[in-house]
Amino acid sequence: MSAAPAEHVRTAPSSPTPSLAPLSDLDPADPEAPARRWPRSFAALEVRDYRLYLTSQMVATTGLWMQRIAQDWLVLELTGSVTAVGVAVALQFLPMLMFGLFGGVVADRFPKRTILIVTQSTLAAVATTLGVLALTGAVEAWHVYVLAFVLGMVTVVDNPTRQVFVSELVGQAHIRNAVSLNSSVFQLGALVGPAVSGALIHAVGQGWSFLINAASCLVVVIMVAVIRPRPVPAHERATGGRGELREALRYIGRTSEVGWSIALAATIGLFGLNMPVILAAFADHVFSTGVRGYSLFNSLSAVGALAGAILSARRQSVPRLRALTSNLVLLGGGLMLAAFAPSVWVFGAALVAVGFCTLQFLTGANSLVQTTAAPALRGRVMGVYLLVLLGGQALGGPCVGWLIDHYGARASMFGCGTLVALVSVAAGLVMARRSHLTVELELRGSSRLPLHIVPAHH
């Protein structure tokens, strides 16, 4: 892992009687703590509270993906329109676009554990309401739209809080690994959740998927309640007062690693993360596989994403901007190839590659932003990062749905892939120009790759 500035490194609070502290309360990041040593790929699990939190996420992400599949397919059944699915997705992410900056302020200002208990309890109530409406047959499309917007309002605060809460639990040394493990668990849920939800929808309808997600949110509430996070040092707390957002935006503007990571995240948010809309269209219009095919496509994408997250967990260093840009170019190429897949299985194989590239980028960008951002600003910086990442989906979802309804699923997917690749290449060229770098081709006998990035006046 690249060394962080000294003022960014968390130090464990001293105790006058360290020998009396329970082993579970000691900071495993402290070399003197007699904690269990885990393999490099699971190093963050040395932290007791993080183990508890990650366990809750294993349950919660499965429930979340079950609700996502059920919600998208419910809207498609109620309206018969892919555009309507895009509207539901957009309403879920629109609050992040509108209020995402303020979510980061809340995450910096108030205790993270308290925020998570409130937000997860609210999410459980939303899921329960959807489940009851679906099971009683009273559900209408506008119900889903309203509850999707409410869910989005909750995630405005929940998402940046969860991101920063993890960094507080594991400390600076384990952020990269913790982000990768979180992504692995999320994609494991994306692998299991759609399959279970698809089977439930086929057997008994969408309602039970919503109720299972409500129960999973309550599991998070219980697990977070028993976590005992250590106090945040005074120099890592937000100072409060006016100008908090301006302070964070100025920091992003003058920190190139953070600024470019957020710009690239906006690209994938707008054009590369609209897969629920695209996959629903392919399942319904292109391959005529129904909800089972939709669940299969989501699961295959999650297989690639899970592989990408596991590979990322083995790495100790934070990726460079050039690696993030390369991942986005490959993602764009994967979307372009998948758009014209001749069969379900070729399409599924392409989705595995797309999922892999997507998670390589998201894990790397998240790690780079969190390890670079000053702790006192981390919540607000992550709020901006999530604003462009999730807010981009609010803008892109209905646009992609409209394109699919008018030009077809294949052309729309190809167009999204083309835009991801072109914007990423353009961003890479601008970064190289500002850093005075160029590409050098070396053809003389070398076992290494012939292309090298070198200073322009090399």
Side-chain angles (χ1 to χ4, degrees), residues 93-311:
F93 294 115
L94 182 62
M96 179 62 70
L97 187 64
M98 298 168 61
F99 308 110
L101 293 175
F102 300 99
V105 173
V106 174
D108 274 340
R109 188 177 292 180
F110 299 101
K112 280 62 171 185
R113 188 173 72 160
T114 302
I115 295 174
L116 290 176
I117 290 173
V118 173
T119 56
Q120 291 296 315
S121 298
T122 307
L123 293 176
V126 170
T128 300
T129 304
L130 264 175
V132 171
L133 287 172
L135 288 175
T136 58
V139 66
E140 298 181 18
W142 72 268
H143 294 144
V144 183
Y145 293 155
V146 170
L147 291 173
F149 186 80
V150 173
L151 189 151
M153 288 295 293
V154 177
T155 57
V156 166
V157 176
D158 184 76
N159 277 345
T161 302
R162 283 191 291 108
Q163 299 287 335
V164 181
F165 188 61
V166 168
S167 66
E168 288 189 359
L169 291 179
V170 302
Q172 189 81 4
H174 291 319
I175 287 179
R176 163 78 177 181
N177 184 250
V179 169
S180 298
L181 290 177
N182 282 358
S183 298
S184 299
V185 166
F186 184 81
Q187 296 310 319
L188 186 60
L191 183 61
V192 176
V196 175
S197 187
L200 281 175
I201 292 171
H202 184 74
V204 294
Q206 292 90 351
W208 286 104
S209 293
F210 297 128
L211 294 182
I212 291 173
N213 183 50
S216 71
C217 291
L218 294 178
V219 170
V220 177
V221 171
I222 294 170
M223 297 296 278
V224 171
V226 301
I227 287 175
R228 300 187 300 276
R230 57 186 175 181
V232 178
H235 69 279
E236 296 185 7
R237 298 175 190 159
T239 56
R242 301 179 62 181
E244 290 177 286
L245 289 179
R246 289 194 299 272
E247 181 185 10
L249 293 174
R250 284 196 298 267
Y251 180 86
I252 292 169
R254 66 174 183 264
T255 310
S256 60
E257 291 88 351
V258 176
W260 279 111
S261 296
I262 290 175
L264 293 173
T267 301
I268 192 174
L270 283 168
F271 309 120
L273 292 181
N274 297 297
M275 296 305 289
V277 181
I278 293 174
L279 296 183
F282 268 85
D284 194 47
H285 303 334
V286 178
F287 296 120
S288 300
T289 54
V291 67
R292 289 185 174 180
Y294 182 50
S295 299
L296 174 65
F297 294 155
N298 278 279
S299 295
L300 288 173
S301 179
V303 168
L306 180 60
I310 292 173
L311 177 62

